[in-house]
Amino acid sequence: MKNRRQFLSTLGAASVGSMIVGTGAVGSAAGKEKLAIDGGTPVRKTPLGYKAYGPQFYNDVEKRELLEVLESRRPFRWWKSNSKVLEFEEAYAARIGVKYALGVTSGTTALCAALAALEIGPGDEVILPAWTWYADYDTIVLAGALPVFAEVDSSLNIDPDDIEARITPRTKAIIAVSLQGCPADMDPILEIARKHKLRVLEDFSQCVGGRYRGTYLGSIGDIGISSFQESKTITSGEGGAVVTNDPELFERAIRFHDVSSLRAPYNEILKGGMVAGFAASNFRMNEFTGAVLKAQEQDIETICAALRSNTRKVREGIADLPGLKIRRSPDIEGDLGVTVFLDHGTRERRDRFLRALRAEGISASPPGGSVILPIDKRIENKLTVHPAWPSFNSPEGKAIRYGADSCPRTIDIIGREGGVIMDPNFSDGDLKDIILAIRKVYLAIYKA
Ligand SMILES: *Cc1c(COP(=O)(O)O)cnc(C)c1O
């Protein structure tokens, strides 16, 4: 592996630029190369596609951990003393820098447990970004509370300035989601929360291993959740976790996820507990999942460091492009570098850019893994499993309007953004191709 300086000296902006445009100035009309989409030669013959990150790092450690569970003949966490789930929880809490972590069955059930821990229910409002995964909205509704959307900004995360406009006397919490590897801007969010006495739930499902101002995501708000579904940083196919420093929130999350009980190890950790039982559920993680996550957990830094390094090289390789608008991050050092996304100004130019990039053999996509929720039909129509569902039967629930008019800025911003999804295992050759292809397409489309 070359170090960064050597890589940039062979691949730096100027040399890559001149490779493409010959001796002409970068961006000059004469220097343009014929795009593959117009019949030119593609940058890559074998297309460069997206692969889930975690499974690329499965090795003998996962194998050994899984085999131990099989051979123990004890796949249920509470019927053994040396639980893999418990070991995973301890390692994950230590890495993120929180006192407590709880393994659960998915990111969605982690959200259910976190909302239950925060005692969110009918009559409460929860603010979430208009562009995020369904689970953030659905679990608020499942709790009987009312979801209130705020716009995203050019980081594609919730716009702190728009949160304040959505606060009412009924607002109880903000879900700060760190989307596609980009940390949510936690300082202004915490400031607003403190001012209005709101709780902050961090959903860092798409940013496991990400940091904000040197602190791991998940350890900043009152409570955090992450998913370990296949498209996240580390994965067991399905799985999730709740993290917090607050023993009372932790105990409620535990009770909610396990038929309201506080079993031996937790009972010890929490010195008998302080919360009375309540109607609860079962979102317990099994030992096979715990085994894989215990092993994957050790790879978090490796995966994140490789992603960040690759993304930095690409960013630096295109930094001189005139008028370039790269997705903003409130903390580029803590950002996972999942995306190299550009703001293309209009949806038409974005779509043209992505089509041309794909023709060059580079997988290119609009912002993904999330949905502009207020314009999803079932959400716009406030559909629930029962017509008397509390969320939409209060005066506020009846009055609230979702749909395109509720989030025009989010629709505009998400429609203009697009680029390349990065991979921790891209080779220097792959990175060079990405830089070449972005430059080639950018220069052709932006100077056309
Ligand atoms: C994946 C994801 C979830 C839900 O996680 P599951 O494990 O799929 O239930 C929640 N929030 C965000 C932001 C996600 O990306």
Side-chain angles (χ1 to χ4, degrees):
M1 275 286 279
K2 288 186 200 125
N3 69 29
R4 186 167 145 235
R5 187 172 303 128
Q6 286 165 335
F7 181 90
L8 284 173
S9 70
T10 54
L11 261 200
S15 63
V16 175
S18 60
M19 268 196 282
I20 293 175
V21 298
T23 52
V26 172
S28 76
K32 262 190 285 168
E33 225 192 337
K34 194 169 182 185
L35 296 179
I37 201 167
D38 298 326
T41 311
V43 170
R44 283 181 75 93
K45 287 186 193 68
T46 44
L48 190 56
Y50 163 80
K51 277 194 293 206
Y53 302 157
Q56 298 181 50
F57 293 79
Y58 285 169
N59 58 29
D60 285 346
V61 183
E62 277 82 358
K63 215 184 258 180
R64 193 182 63 235
E65 295 288 345
L66 268 174
L67 265 179
E68 280 177 20
V69 178
L70 273 177
E71 285 160 2
S72 77
R73 298 180 190 278
R74 282 276 148 103
F76 180 54
R77 69 176 294 185
W78 297 122
W79 290 349
K80 61 202 303 182
S81 50
N82 55 340
S83 160
K84 301 286 187 201
V85 178
L86 193 61
E87 287 174 342
F88 160 68
E89 289 169 344
E90 286 167 357
Y92 195 54
R95 179 176 311 276
I96 286 174
V98 290
K99 287 201 189 112
Y100 313 109
L102 175 71
V104 295
T105 49
S106 71
T108 304
T109 56
L111 280 163
C112 288
L115 291 170
L118 294 170
E119 296 174 276
I120 283 165
D124 298 331
E125 295 176 8
V126 180
I127 297 173
L128 75 165
W131 184 68
T132 184
W133 185 238
Y134 288 104
D136 292 312
Y137 166 87
D138 285 335
T139 55
I140 296 168
V141 174
L142 288 177
L146 184 62
V148 175
F149 293 108
E151 301 268 24
V152 303
D153 61 23
S154 58
S155 70
L156 311 190
N157 285 331
I158 196 165
D159 178 358
D161 290 337
D162 198 47
I163 291 176
E164 208 148 16
R166 314 278 174 164
I167 294 173
T168 75
R170 293 164 300 280
T171 309
K172 193 148 177 188
I174 302 163
I175 306 188
V177 195
S178 293
L179 289 154
Q180 279 203 307
C182 178
D185 202 355
M186 295 308 294
D187 280 349
I189 293 172
L190 289 179
E191 200 184 308
I192 293 163
R194 270 194 293 269
K195 188 169 144 198
H196 296 272
K197 299 196 166 43
L198 309 177
R199 311 307 289 268
V200 175
L201 194 176
E202 276 187 76
D203 180 349
F204 62 110
S205 294
Q206 298 184 15
C207 205
V208 171
R211 295 187 299 265
Y212 179 81
R213 314 245 152 110
T215 307
Y216 276 96
L217 294 169
S219 68
I220 302 168
D222 294 287
I223 194 164
I225 75 97
S226 60
S227 163
F228 308 113
Q229 181 269 342
E230 191 170 317
S231 57
K232 320 295 173 166
T233 311
I234 58 167
T235 184
S236 45
E238 299 279 10
V242 180
V243 296
T244 184
N245 281 310
D246 183 325
E248 199 176 326
L249 294 182
F250 186 51
E251 183 179 346
R252 268 199 290 272
I254 292 168
R255 290 190 184 275
F256 191 74
H257 108 295
D258 188 12
V259 289
S260 202
S261 57
L262 193 63
R263 304 204 197 217
Y266 292 140
N267 197 51
E268 213 167 286
I269 292 168
L270 293 171
K271 300 183 179 63
M274 62 192 102
V275 176
F278 46 76
S281 195
N282 164 23
F283 303 145
R284 292 181 302 254
M285 183 179 280
N286 71 67
E287 284 290 287
F288 294 111
T289 302
V292 174
L293 288 176
K294 182 190 163 196
Q296 282 265 283
E297 200 279 331
Q298 298 166 35
D299 293 328
I300 289 178
E301 277 311 316
T302 309
I303 296 171
C304 295
L307 258 176
R308 285 191 181 107
S309 153
N310 284 350
T311 302
R312 193 187 315 116
K313 287 172 188 170
V314 172
R315 270 205 320 267
E316 289 174 1
I318 61 172
D320 66 311
L321 289 172
L324 184 83
K325 276 204 213 146
I326 228 159
R327 176 186 181 185
R328 188 178 65 80
S329 177
D331 184 339
I332 202 71
E333 293 301 314
D335 194 294
L336 287 196
V338 170
T339 64
V340 177
F341 275 180
L342 309 179
D343 177 346
H344 298 281
T346 66
R347 176 184 287 268
E348 293 67 36
R349 188 149 71 169
R350 189 272 309 267
D351 290 345
R352 224 171 347 125
F353 182 88
L354 296 180
R355 271 199 306 276
L357 210 50
R358 284 194 288 267
E360 300 296 337
I362 305 295
S363 75
S365 49
S370 288
V371 180
I372 301 174
L373 294 172
I375 58 171
D376 190 278
K377 277 297 161 217
R378 70 152 162 100
I379 293 172
E380 186 166 0
N381 294 326
K382 302 192 264 188
L383 299 182
T384 52
V385 294
H386 192 282
W389 203 264
S391 302
F392 302 115
N393 273 294
S394 64
E396 295 76 25
K398 285 190 172 124
I400 201 164
R401 293 282 170 271
Y402 300 139
D405 292 343
S406 70
C407 60
R409 194 146 53 88
T410 298
I411 295 171
D412 181 42
I413 290 172
I414 298 299
R416 299 190 322 234
E417 288 271 343
V420 179
I421 304 287
M422 297 296 294
D423 188 280
N425 282 324
F426 279 159
S427 67
D428 280 359
D430 297 334
L431 299 178
K432 181 168 149 265
D433 288 344
I434 292 169
I435 295 169
L436 282 169
I438 292 177
R439 297 186 70 89
K440 181 179 170 186
V441 171
Y442 187 93
L443 291 173
I445 284 181
Y446 276 73
K447 291 293 155 183

